């Protein structure tokens, strides 16, 4: 007679049919990866045979399938009634004595006879965690179960959860036959994350599918809060190559609100074994795990990914008693890893409207429709095909109605919660963790939900126009020069890296300052003397970081490192800050430090700032960040670009300052490029090139300053054209000077993105690289290939 209970250590990945995907995976890791550094708590599993034997008694199986065979799962009311009835039948049916005896023996061995030892009782379906379906959150998990009798009750509840509304509907939609799916209950020693932390991680970026990072979410307490989407967790990205090289590898950190946590309750019975409490405000303002712990989780994740040979979706927990990190579940990732990398789908918003609220974007699509605010599962039938589903948080129970929605918007949740996984699988854009969506968005309102603009998803008022571009990039034609990209937004870096490219010709530091920092560097340096209102605004921004100055340096580091890692090992040319005084004044605290200028475009900007006594300390912070990216993290594909250099003397002084702070030309392979954007730069190219390793032409300012016009002035803006003969004369002069000196020459201005014919002229002139806006890369590439040699 087959065993009805098997210890994890005797199971492996080939036992899915016996104990389901989760339990087979736990056994696989305990058996094969413990010595490699992966920590998994021990336990045992009931078998699929035990489940089938249980259902066969007293005709229960036939009664269940008589109901399911007649059911239309798209009828939400009928589905709820059928599910409730079947679950009640299962819970009322006693377990077979043989199963109870084997569970008793295994439980005593696991707990050493201590009845009060807490365990988790998890579900594991024989059809779940397969490469073509996630089954995310379809069945139940019970935490902090204590005592043999309570374990038996929890096992029955797990069996019953195979007939949750969501599980029934999901199997039908995925084409799985109900009768072919069986359930195994995994009984696993609890990790005391209730006084530690827990979360979910993926060995790829869940939004772009980028494979070179590990994405980790974390919150305080038991992991179900993150898995369910009940909290907005902390988020971290770790670069795999940098981690493997033994260097600091945390690319980005995002502080979550972590308002609540799940902890043990006094009862050890299913349904009453946990409780939700508020998190202390001071704790919310800190990251729930350290960088060292983030990297340790990433290391364990990479061992698991290598063993399975596939991207993985992993649940983890930190024990508050022993301080150790444990893996409590691992399954193959099933959405992004299946997509065809050769086919690109891009959603582009053609209009902008009033932003009603914002949150974390899931899926890089756009959806629009009529708002339907759903406050409980009973109201799900309000949502019709094409509506925008709005709720406090979505539950996997809602899967039947999620597929009807054009977009899903929630107050709570993070990128790795069940609802987010299902939304990705269904191809429905979702914006989670908005905080106030159910207050701001009203039934019947027309909105557009955009997840196509980076990490942040925006809900706009009205039905805005958008388009979908589809391209195949398997066989891009060859060109005589390199096409690079202008990438300012680190949020989109992993996504843009999937386009055909030779690296980044322009990464704007001011975009990172504006988007990720939002505070004037002087206000951070002079934090102690700030007015109270500004100090409070700065405090909000700096939460989670050691000091205001550290916040500035770390956020700059994160932004640059994210772009550098996305395009590694291809070149990423980072332009030092080029805010004008009016733009700096708009940052928090900016008006305290910025001069009033009549014409800021021609005023205190670029290299003039760096060499001035009043801005030098701010420039030093930028240098510190770039030095950390290159020398500490080892992302030496980062090169430096200096903007708005008015004189060769100024050029020499900037190079001198960089060297003094440890960024010396030629050291550790560092190239320093000059932005060629003033007519004097092209006219005196040979003198400027003595101090730099090449030019990157900024065609916007070069055109304005050559033609003496402001392109933002509606009166004269029609005269703005980078193809003007005078501008082309200067472009050609700069290109030929660099070629003669054997130095780099590229262009990063808007011109080639707007005018493919200008890109062709530059190609014919012998330019090394043309750096385009990402949305024009494919179109320009094909145009140039078609016209090469003509």
């Amino acid at each position: 007679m087959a065993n009805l209970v098997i210890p994890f250590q005797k199971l492996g990945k080939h036992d899915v049919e016996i104990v389901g995907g989760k339990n087979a995976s736990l056994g696989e890791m305990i058996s094969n990866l413990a010595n490699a550094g992966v920590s998994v708590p021990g336990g045992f599993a009931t078998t699929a045979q035990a489940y089938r034997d249980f259902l066969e008694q007293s005709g229960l199986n036939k009664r269940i399938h008589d109901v399911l065979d007649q059911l239309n799962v798209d009828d939400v009311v009928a589905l709820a009634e059928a599910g409730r009835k079947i679950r009640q039948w299962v819970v009322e049916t006693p377990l077979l004595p043989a199963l109870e005896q084997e569970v008793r023996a295994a439980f005593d061995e696991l707990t050493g006879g201590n009845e009060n030892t807490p365990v988790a009782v998890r579900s594991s379906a024989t059809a779940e965690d397969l490469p073509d379906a996630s089954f995310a959150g379809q069945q139940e998990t019970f935490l902090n179960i204590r005592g043999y009798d309570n374990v038996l009750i929890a096992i029955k509840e797990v069996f019953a959860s195979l007939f949750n509304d969501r599980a029934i509907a999901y199997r039908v939609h995925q084409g799985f036959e109900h009768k072919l799916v069986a359930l195994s209950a995994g009984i696993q020693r609890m990790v005391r994350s209730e006084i530690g932390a827990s979360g979910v991680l993926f060995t790829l970026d869940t939004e772009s599918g980028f494979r070179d990072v590990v994405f980790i979410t974390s919150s305080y307490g038991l992991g179900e809060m993150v898995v369910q989407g009940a909290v907005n967790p902390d988020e971290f990205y770790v670069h795999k190559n940098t981690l493997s090289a033994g260097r600091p590898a945390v690319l980005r950190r995002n502080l979550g609100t972590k308002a609540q946590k799940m902890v043990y309750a006094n009862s050890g019975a299913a349904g009453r074994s946990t409780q939700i409490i508020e998190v202390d405000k001071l704790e919310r303002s800190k990251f729930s795990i350290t960088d060292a712990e983030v990297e340790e989780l990433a290391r364990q994740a990479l061992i698991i990914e290598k063993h399975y040979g596939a991207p993985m979706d992993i649940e983890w927990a930190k024990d508050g008693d022993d301080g150790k990190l444990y893996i409590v579940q691992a399954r193959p990732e099933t959405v992004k890893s299946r997509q065809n990398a050769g086919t690109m789908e891009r959603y582009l918003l053609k209009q902008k409207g009033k932003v009603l609220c914002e949150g974390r974007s899931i899926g890089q699509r756009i959806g629009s429709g009529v708002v339907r605010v759903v406050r409980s599962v009973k109201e799900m039938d309000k949502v019709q095909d094409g509506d925008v589903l709005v709720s406090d948080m979505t539950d996997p129970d809602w899967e039947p109605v999620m597929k009807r929605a054009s977009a899903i918007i929630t107050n709570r949740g993070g990128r790795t919660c069940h609802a987010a996984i299902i939304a990705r699988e269904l191809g429905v854009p979702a914006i989670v963790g908005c905080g106030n969506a159910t207050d701001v968005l009203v039934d019947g309102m027309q909105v557009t939900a955009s997840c196509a603009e980076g990490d942040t998803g925006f809900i706009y008022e009205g039905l805005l126009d958008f388009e979908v571009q589809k391209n195949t990039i398997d066989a891009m034609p060859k060109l005589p020069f390199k096409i690079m990209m202008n990438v300012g937004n680190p949020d989109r870096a992993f996504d843009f890296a999937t386009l055909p490219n030779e690296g980044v010709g322009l990464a704007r530091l001011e975009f990172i300052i504006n988007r990720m920092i939002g505070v004037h560097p002087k206000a951070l340096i002079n934090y102690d003397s700030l007015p109270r209102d500004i100090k409070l605004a700065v405090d909000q921004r700096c939460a989670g970081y050691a000091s205001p100055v550290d916040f500035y340096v770390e956020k700059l580091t994160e932004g640059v490192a994210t772009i550098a890692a996305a395009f590694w090992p291809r070149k990423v040319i980072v332009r030092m800050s080029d805010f004008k005084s009016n733009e700096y004044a708009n940052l928090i605290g900016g008006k305290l430090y910025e001069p009033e200028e009549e014409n800021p475009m021609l005023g205190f900007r670029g290299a003039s700032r760096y060499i001035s006594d009043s801005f030098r300390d701010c420039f030093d912070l930028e240098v510190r960040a770039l030095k950390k990216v290159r020398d500490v993290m080892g992302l030496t594909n980062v090169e430096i670009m200096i903007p708005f250099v008015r004189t060769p003397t100024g050029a020499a002084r900037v190079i001198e300052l960089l060297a003094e702070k440890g960024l010396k030309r030629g050291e550790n392979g560092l190239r320093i490029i000059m932005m060629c954007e003033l007519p004097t730069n092209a006219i005196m190219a040979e003198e400027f090139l003595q101090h730099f390793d090449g030019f990157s032409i900024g065609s916007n300012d070069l055109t304005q300053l050559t033609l003496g016009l402001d392109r933002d002035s509606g009166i004269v803006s029609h005269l703005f054209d980078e193809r003007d003969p005078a501008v082309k004369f200067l472009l050609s002069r700069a290109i030929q000077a660099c070629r003669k000196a054997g130095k780099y020459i590229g262009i990063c201005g808007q011109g080639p993105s707007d005018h493919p014919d200008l890109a062709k002229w530059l190609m014919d002139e012998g330019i090394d690289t043309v750096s385009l806006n990402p949305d024009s890369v494919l179109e320009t590439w094909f145009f140039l290939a078609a016209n090469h040699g003509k």
Side-chain angles (χ1 to χ4, degrees):
M1 183 176 160
N3 286 347
L4 301 177
V5 167
I6 304 175
F8 285 159
Q9 65 266 27
K10 292 185 179 176
L11 293 169
K13 64 183 176 185
H14 301 299
D15 293 318
V16 174
E17 283 302 313
I18 299 171
V19 293
K22 284 195 192 87
N23 289 336
S25 183
L26 289 169
E28 178 73 13
M29 290 188 290
I30 288 173
S31 305
N32 295 285
L33 301 180
N35 293 333
V38 176
S39 301
V40 180
F44 59 91
T46 66
T47 63
Q49 189 58 50
Y51 170 81
R52 291 191 177 103
D53 290 349
F54 167 74
L55 282 196
E56 281 307 319
Q57 63 180 307
S58 63
L60 181 57
N61 207 14
K62 183 178 185 309
R63 280 196 290 158
I64 289 171
H65 290 289
D66 283 348
V67 171
L68 294 180
D69 289 346
Q70 304 298 318
L71 180 63
N72 171 12
V73 295
D74 292 324
D75 182 337
V76 178
V77 176
L79 173 63
E81 176 56 27
R84 186 197 59 75
K85 187 190 298 182
I86 293 170
R87 292 193 296 275
Q88 188 174 342
W89 290 342
V90 173
V91 171
E92 288 172 352
T93 303
L95 294 174
L96 294 170
L99 176 59
E100 290 189 355
Q101 288 165 15
E102 290 195 34
V103 169
R104 171 94 257 180
F107 181 70
D108 286 348
E109 187 176 337
L110 178 65
T111 63
N114 179 359
E115 277 278 313
N116 205 37
T117 301
V119 295
V121 181
R122 304 178 187 278
S123 63
S124 180
T126 57
E128 78 178 340
D129 300 340
L130 302 179
D132 58 349
S134 74
F135 279 73
Q138 299 306 312
Q139 283 81 48
E140 297 293 350
T141 291
F142 299 97
L143 304 175
N144 187 35
I145 303 300
R146 296 168 190 260
Y148 166 71
D149 291 336
N150 284 329
V151 168
L152 292 183
I153 294 167
I155 289 172
K156 245 195 306 188
E157 292 280 2
V158 162
F159 286 177
S161 74
L162 191 62
F163 302 101
N164 282 334
D165 304 354
R166 61 186 182 244
I168 294 169
Y170 189 87
R171 286 195 294 275
V172 171
H173 294 146
Q174 290 289 335
F176 285 92
E177 177 62 49
H178 294 298
K179 293 187 178 80
L180 298 181
V181 182
L183 208 64
S184 161
I187 292 81
Q188 186 178 34
R189 181 179 66 76
M190 279 291 292
V191 176
R192 287 214 65 189
S193 58
E194 66 135 0
I195 53 171
S198 57
V200 179
L201 67 83
F202 285 80
T203 60
L204 46 59
D205 174 39
T206 54
E207 303 314 304
S208 64
F210 182 68
R211 296 283 184 95
D212 293 347
V213 289
V214 178
F215 175 54
I216 298 171
T217 61
S218 171
S219 196
Y220 299 116
L222 302 176
E224 281 301 289
M225 295 291 277
V226 177
V227 171
Q228 292 168 4
V231 291
N232 301 338
D234 297 331
E235 296 177 351
F236 307 90
Y237 284 98
V238 180
H239 189 221
K240 292 177 181 177
N241 291 352
T242 303
L243 186 72
S244 299
R247 291 176 177 269
V250 180
L251 293 178
R252 295 189 69 183
R253 305 163 188 85
N254 187 63
L255 188 71
T257 51
K258 307 181 295 294
Q260 297 176 313
K261 65 177 176 177
M262 183 182 283
V263 298
Y264 291 172
N266 292 330
S267 169
R272 303 195 305 277
S273 59
T274 59
Q275 60 182 328
I276 294 169
I277 63 172
E278 297 294 307
V279 173
D280 178 75
K281 281 190 175 173
L282 185 62
E283 292 297 298
R284 292 183 205 181
S285 66
K286 299 175 184 172
F287 287 106
S288 49
I289 52 175
T290 65
D291 277 9
E293 289 165 339
V294 169
E295 290 179 347
E296 172 56 26
L297 283 169
R299 271 189 284 273
Q300 292 199 39
L302 291 188
I303 294 166
I304 296 168
E305 180 181 54
K306 184 179 178 184
H307 180 76
Y308 279 86
M312 299 296 288
D313 166 359
I314 296 167
E315 290 179 32
W316 63 270
K318 176 188 173 183
D319 193 304
D321 280 340
D322 65 20
K324 291 182 180 173
L325 298 162
Y326 295 90
I327 303 301
V328 294
Q329 282 187 32
R331 59 178 78 86
E333 193 278 339
T334 57
V335 180
K336 283 295 175 183
S337 52
R338 274 190 291 164
Q339 292 181 352
N340 178 2
T343 302
M344 303 208 63
E345 179 185 77
R346 292 187 174 273
Y347 280 68
L348 299 172
L349 200 58
K350 307 293 282 183
Q351 296 174 278
K352 282 290 174 88
K354 179 185 174 186
V355 176
L356 300 173
C357 59
E358 58 187 66
R360 308 295 284 163
S361 59
I362 307 296
Q364 295 166 320
R365 298 183 173 186
I366 299 171
S368 60
V370 175
V371 166
R372 296 294 173 216
V373 180
V374 176
R375 301 194 185 274
S376 78
V377 72
K378 293 174 185 169
E379 298 181 353
M380 284 201 302
D381 56 349
K382 284 170 59 176
V383 181
Q384 302 302 310
D385 286 347
D387 285 347
V388 174
L389 168 61
V390 179
S391 71
D392 181 46
M393 59 182 270
T394 53
D395 184 298
D397 271 333
W398 298 21
E399 190 271 342
V401 81
M402 287 168 76
K403 69 187 182 71
R404 293 183 194 166
S406 62
I408 297 163
I409 299 165
T410 69
N411 292 337
R412 294 190 279 164
R415 285 191 163 163
T416 56
C417 69
H418 281 151
I421 293 168
I422 291 170
R424 279 187 209 102
E425 194 164 293
L426 295 171
V428 178
I431 301 175
V432 300
C434 296
N436 61 348
T438 52
D439 297 327
V440 175
L441 306 178
V442 180
D443 254 23
M445 182 184 276
Q446 292 184 324
V447 298
T448 299
S450 171
C451 297
E453 299 168 73
D455 280 359
T456 303
F458 298 98
I459 298 99
Y460 295 102
E461 188 174 42
L463 303 179
L464 303 184
D465 188 27
F466 64 90
E467 69 168 308
V468 185
Q469 292 182 348
K470 293 190 178 182
N471 294 94
T472 302
I473 58 167
D474 286 334
M476 297 299 290
K478 290 275 186 282
L479 294 174
F481 65 90
K482 296 175 180 178
I483 286 195
M484 301 176 85
M485 277 193 285
N486 301 331
V487 178
N489 185 353
D491 290 358
R492 302 294 306 277
F494 300 149
D495 177 30
F496 291 151
T498 61
L499 285 163
N501 70 86
E502 290 292 340
V504 176
L506 172 63
R508 300 177 180 89
L509 219 55
E510 60 270 14
F511 197 104
I512 296 168
I513 295 167
N514 203 26
R515 185 98 174 211
M516 296 174 68
I517 297 171
V519 184
H520 196 290
K522 278 282 189 192
L524 296 168
I525 291 167
N526 299 307
Y527 171 80
D528 290 337
S529 60
L530 289 176
R532 186 171 176 275
D533 59 333
I534 295 176
K535 192 178 276 191
L536 285 172
V538 170
D539 288 343
Q540 282 186 318
R541 296 274 179 153
C542 297
Y545 291 83
S547 72
V549 166
D550 283 331
F551 163 72
Y552 191 81
V553 173
E554 286 301 319
K555 280 298 180 192
L556 281 180
T557 302
E558 288 174 28
V560 173
T562 298
I563 299 172
F567 290 87
W568 175 266
R570 289 159 291 175
K571 299 290 187 191
V572 171
I573 300 173
V574 176
R575 187 177 74 186
M576 305 297 270
S577 64
D578 192 25
F579 274 137
K580 303 167 193 71
S581 52
N582 59 324
E583 293 166 336
Y584 261 125
N586 288 331
L587 297 173
I588 293 170
K591 289 184 173 61
L592 298 172
Y593 304 103
E594 288 299 320
E596 290 259 353
E597 294 188 283
E598 286 295 321
N599 191 345
M601 198 196 99
L602 299 179
F604 192 39
R605 61 179 288 199
S608 299
R609 275 187 181 262
Y610 313 156
I611 60 181
S612 72
D613 292 338
S614 64
F615 194 79
R616 183 89 45 79
D617 50 0
C618 302
F619 180 62
D620 286 350
L621 300 186
E622 296 179 27
V623 174
R624 261 174 66 183
L626 284 164
K627 190 166 168 50
K628 181 174 180 181
V629 172
R630 283 183 49 86
D631 297 348
V632 179
M633 299 180 75
L635 293 165
T636 51
N637 58 327
V638 167
E639 301 187 335
I640 292 173
M641 180 151 67
I642 304 299
F644 227 76
V645 185
R646 289 180 161 107
T647 64
T649 308
R653 182 65 184 130
V654 172
I655 295 297
E656 203 175 273
L657 286 173
L658 287 169
E660 283 173 14
K661 298 294 178 183
L663 287 175
K664 188 174 182 182
R665 255 182 86 194
E667 212 167 77
N668 201 10
L670 175 63
R671 286 198 314 180
I672 302 177
I673 310 295
M674 191 188 96
M675 192 99 169
C676 176
E677 54 196 326
L678 299 159
T680 183
N681 299 153
I683 293 165
M684 300 178 63
E686 290 78 7
E687 286 87 341
F688 283 104
L689 283 170
Q690 288 175 27
H691 307 288
F692 294 96
D693 297 297
F695 282 169
S696 182
I697 298 166
S699 57
N700 294 358
D701 278 357
L702 184 63
T703 302
Q704 292 188 95
L705 295 168
T706 302
L707 300 179
L709 60 83
D710 177 0
R711 68 172 180 164
D712 293 327
S713 166
I715 303 165
V716 294
S717 60
H718 64 284
L719 298 170
F720 181 93
D721 190 341
E722 294 97 330
R723 297 165 297 179
D724 184 276
V727 179
K728 277 186 165 180
F729 173 82
L730 293 173
L731 291 173
S732 181
R733 172 94 181 81
I735 292 168
Q736 302 320 316
C738 287
R739 285 173 64 84
K740 187 175 177 183
K743 296 194 174 186
Y744 168 82
I745 178 65
I747 187 168
C748 59
Q750 184 75 21
S753 294
D754 290 344
H755 309 294
D757 58 321
L758 177 62
K760 182 184 183 305
W761 180 82
L762 291 164
M763 177 172 74
D764 295 341
E765 283 288 306
I767 203 162
D768 292 334
T769 70
V770 170
S771 194
L772 303 168
N773 294 337
D775 59 4
S776 63
V777 165
L778 296 177
E779 183 185 342
T780 306
W781 192 306
F782 286 121
F783 172 86
L784 294 174
N787 289 278
H788 176 43
K790 289 184 181 177

